[in-house]
Amino acid sequence: MGADSRRLQAEGAQRPPPSRAEAEAAVETLIRWAGDEPSREGLRDTPQRVVRAYEEFFAGYREDPEALLSRTFEDVSGYRDIVLLRDIRLESHCEHHMVPIIGTAHVAYLPDRRVVGISKLVRVVHALARRLQTQETLTAQMADAIEVALAPRGVGVIVDAAHQCMTTRGVRQPGVSTVTTAFRGEFESRECLQDRLWRLLG
């Protein structure tokens, strides 16, 4: 995350968030703007449902990825090879259009002195994905969080996802996915490790 982004996020954090009633009123406004009537039977409870859904979609703002990785284990019998989690389901939202980004994340690291429970890596992916994002930023944030928390010899993150801002609007190209990568440490400096990682992913 760049300095400008951190500054803007810090400024936003100082302002009190809108109330639930304000959020529901905003959804009503959007329904009217779209051309429908929020008071009709099928839409009567939609503002409340949307706000509840947004609480799930953007729960990552209330989670600290590094804290999720704080409990580590050092008794690994000298294991120093790749630890890889493949095909982690990823659901995020594009910060430009607020529509879903859906795909998979593959997360790998080379332990130095400690490892972390594998479920924690999944939680980190979910925590960072459940925010308004670009895929490039999300990929880099995953790698950075693992690097800072675990101090491994290397980190590799690969994300393959489809963006509904492109598949359902604009150029309307279903079936197109975007692949982004972030390599740190030995994964960045040793191409043979990147090659191994791609082979492990098949």
Side-chain angles (χ1 to χ4, degrees), residues 64-118:
D64 179 354
E66 291 177 24
L68 292 170
L69 297 172
S70 61
R71 186 180 181 197
T72 60
F73 308 93
E74 296 187 4
D75 184 13
V76 293
S77 299
Y79 184 86
R80 289 171 59 81
D81 206 347
I82 295 173
V83 177
L84 168 64
L85 271 72
R86 299 190 306 185
D87 300 323
I88 303 169
R89 169 79 173 181
L90 181 144
E91 298 171 2
S92 191
H93 280 76
C94 161
E95 66 183 31
H96 300 140
H97 300 95
M98 294 181 71
V99 294
I101 300 170
I102 297 174
T104 55
H106 314 288
V107 176
Y109 71 102
L110 286 166
D112 187 3
R113 294 178 302 277
R114 57 185 189 267
V115 298
V116 69
I118 56 176

Side-chain angles (χ1 to χ4, degrees), residues 54 58 92-101 132-134 163-171:
Y54 268 42
F58 304 119
S92 191
H93 280 76
C94 161
E95 66 183 31
H96 300 140
H97 300 95
M98 294 181 71
V99 294
I101 300 170
L132 293 170
Q133 292 280 14
T134 65
H163 295 236
Q164 290 192 16
C165 57
M166 190 174 78
T167 62
T168 62
R169 58 161 300 282
V171 295

Side-chain angles (χ1 to χ4, degrees), residues 125-148:
V125 170
H126 290 171
L128 290 168
R130 288 172 182 159
R131 303 177 184 189
L132 293 170
Q133 292 280 14
T134 65
Q135 184 173 325
E136 296 87 344
T137 299
L138 174 58
T139 306
Q141 286 178 347
M142 291 179 195
D144 291 343
I146 296 167
E147 186 175 40
V148 169

